[in-house]
Amino acid sequence: MLWTVIILFSLLCLIPCWVTLCRTPAMTNAQQSALRVYQSQLKELNNDLEHGFILKSEYDQAQLEIQRRLLKTDQIPPSFATSTTSLPKASIIVTSLGLFCIPLAAMGLYLMNGLPSLPAAPLTPRLAEQEEMSQKVAPYITQLKAKLTTLSMTDPKRIEGYLLLGKIEASRGNLPAAVQAWKEALNQQFDPSLAAQIAEIQTQIDGNVSTDSVTLFRKALDAAPKDVPWRELAEQRIAEYEKAKH
């Protein structure tokens, strides 16, 4: 069904080209063409006189000449001429085949580089799968939290545990819980990159740059090297906060 729709829309887009190639050339009356030219000359002559480009005597002389030419148009036989040159039939056929090859070439490129056999991934089944996975992981998260509460603030495993907990919560889409877990690790040992990450995620959650996020951004910038990749983003967030404040 999808391929049928693609082909139909491709042919529909090519219809104007085929109509232009196959239409009959328009016919033009020679008398009408001459009349339009002389009328245009009279209009231009009047415009030159109004702006002072020519003298009144020059205007009268030129007007008389144009009027004389207008009278001569009555002597032109009412013949017709084509305004456009029609293409030979062979050229029309070759051009039509070339136009028809455009959608074929596009589909060929898609077949070679795309994945037409890849099944669709509707949103509802993916959400259901994510919810099922979240329910399976929930008991392990509870166990991990209980284990972390037994570790001392000086234990390096506590930092690793809260970093892992934050990653798990973020993968589940629970960003507030992820931020809370990462803050526990940050309170035990400050890391500029982690602080900037927490501040950015908190900004996305809040929808604006809060005071806490700006504080984290500034601490991260002070402690980080000059060439960290997130420096520009942190400075931009601080500028947004200052602008909104004023």
Side-chain angles (χ1 to χ4, degrees):
M1 181 62 184
L2 178 61
W3 289 103
T4 304
V5 174
I6 293 175
I7 293 173
L8 288 177
F9 272 104
S10 300
L11 295 176
L12 185 64
C13 293
L14 294 176
I15 286 177
C17 299
W18 283 325
V19 170
T20 303
L21 288 173
C22 300
R23 70 179 179 181
T24 304
M27 307 298 290
T28 304
N29 190 315
Q31 289 182 344
Q32 293 178 354
S33 298
L35 184 61
R36 284 196 294 267
V37 171
Y38 296 145
Q39 287 175 343
S40 177
Q41 290 177 347
L42 280 174
K43 184 177 180 180
E44 184 178 356
L45 192 63
N46 291 328
N47 185 62
D48 291 344
L49 180 63
E50 290 177 1
H51 290 83
F53 296 148
I54 58 176
L55 299 176
K56 185 65 169 63
S57 57
E58 295 175 339
Y59 169 79
D60 294 337
Q61 184 178 358
Q63 185 184 38
L64 183 62
E65 176 63 22
I66 293 174
Q67 290 174 349
R68 184 181 64 80
R69 294 178 182 178
L70 279 172
L71 292 175
K72 282 187 175 182
T73 57
D74 293 335
Q75 302 175 4
I76 300 176
S79 59
F80 292 86
T82 58
S83 61
T84 57
T85 304
S86 59
L87 293 174
K89 288 186 177 180
S91 299
I92 293 177
I93 294 174
V94 172
T95 306
S96 300
L97 290 176
L99 292 174
F100 186 73
C101 288
I102 293 176
L104 293 180
M107 287 187 288
L109 289 174
Y110 175 67
L111 290 174
M112 288 188 297
N113 301 317
L115 297 172
S117 60
L118 187 67
L123 179 60
T124 303
R126 285 189 284 121
L127 291 177
E129 183 180 355
Q130 183 178 358
E131 181 64 24
E132 182 181 357
M133 182 63 66
S134 178
Q135 292 177 358
K136 290 181 179 179
V137 175
Y140 298 101
I141 293 178
T142 303
Q143 294 177 10
L144 179 59
K145 288 180 178 179
K147 178 65 176 178
L148 290 174
T149 55
T150 62
L151 300 178
S152 65
M153 290 290 294
T154 58
D155 193 341
K157 292 183 179 180
R158 185 176 183 275
I159 299 177
E160 297 176 1
Y162 275 111
L163 290 176
L164 176 61
L165 178 60
K167 289 181 180 179
I168 295 174
E169 294 288 8
S171 65
R172 297 172 62 199
N174 191 0
L175 294 181
V179 168
Q180 184 179 358
W182 285 330
K183 281 185 176 180
E184 290 290 339
L186 191 67
N187 292 334
Q188 183 173 345
Q189 182 178 344
F190 186 81
D191 180 82
S193 297
L194 180 60
Q197 181 180 356
I198 294 173
E200 177 60 23
I201 294 177
Q202 188 64 54
T203 300
Q204 295 176 8
I205 295 173
D206 298 338
N208 56 68
V209 187
S210 63
T211 304
D212 293 339
S213 297
V214 167
T215 302
L216 282 177
F217 276 128
R218 286 173 175 165
K219 287 183 178 179
L221 288 174
D222 293 338
K226 298 294 183 181
D227 57 347
V228 288
W230 45 264
R231 176 173 291 276
E232 184 177 353
L233 174 62
E235 292 174 348
Q236 180 182 349
R237 293 301 192 190
I238 294 174
E240 291 176 5
Y241 174 79
E242 295 294 339
K243 184 178 180 181
K245 185 178 179 181
H246 296 292

